[in-house]
Amino acid sequence: MTFRAAVLELVTRIPRGRVATYGQLAALLGRPRSARIVGQALRSADGAVPWHRVVNAQGRISRRARMTSMMTQRIRLEQEGIVFRRGRVVLGRFRWSAAPRRNGE
DNA sequence: GACTTGACTAGAC
DNA sequence: AGTCTAGCCAAGT
């Protein structure tokens, strides 16, 4: 399985109303230095996963080519009840705490 | 297989 | 608080 596929699967587990950071997801997959690759995976997924629930370590929406997608991300997060302060998600309150898996995988 | 490309990050000013 | 820099590394050419 490619790292990309593992990322997409993991992103799917982020519950509504919570967010995760690129580095956090990378660490959960056992590759703490691969945060950038998480972004790559989301870009290639082209909307097939809840990509909007992933923000950077500062709690801010990362820059990308299409500005519209940045706006879409913020709107979706706020619709899920996530609060922004000074342009950042309040990570202390909304960061997802991954639940450990019980068996296999 | 040798580049290139970033939706990243932590640290240093 | 903003800006830079240097590492980072899977994927695409």
Side-chain angles (χ1 to χ4, degrees):
Chain A
M1 173 182 236
T2 62
F3 184 72
R4 172 181 165 282
V7 168
L8 300 186
E9 184 182 62
L10 181 58
V11 167
T12 289
R13 311 208 334 244
I14 304 173
R16 205 166 167 289
R18 310 302 293 280
V19 299
T21 68
Y22 298 94
Q24 176 186 355
L25 296 179
L28 285 170
L29 292 172
R31 312 190 92 92
R33 296 340 121 54
S34 301
R36 309 184 63 143
I37 318 305
V38 171
Q40 262 190 204
L42 296 184
R43 176 163 45 95
S44 70
D46 193 42
V49 294
W51 56 271
H52 59 283
R53 306 213 255 250
V54 185
V55 297
N56 65 30
Q58 310 295 304
R60 310 175 65 203
I61 293 168
S62 290
R63 293 207 79 162
R64 65 200 70 171
R66 296 198 297 287
M67 203 68 85
T68 58
S69 111
M70 294 177 69
M71 295 196 49
T72 300
Q73 179 164 11
R74 171 147 182 173
I75 289 167
R76 286 195 188 179
L77 290 177
E78 290 181 324
Q79 284 177 341
E80 295 188 357
I82 285 168
V83 178
F84 282 72
R85 292 236 191 257
R86 291 185 286 254
R88 320 186 299 94
V89 167
V90 183
L91 284 178
R93 204 158 106 218
F94 299 105
R95 187 200 274 275
W96 173 48
S97 302
R101 284 236 156 154
R102 228 158 290 273
N103 58 25
E105 181 261 353

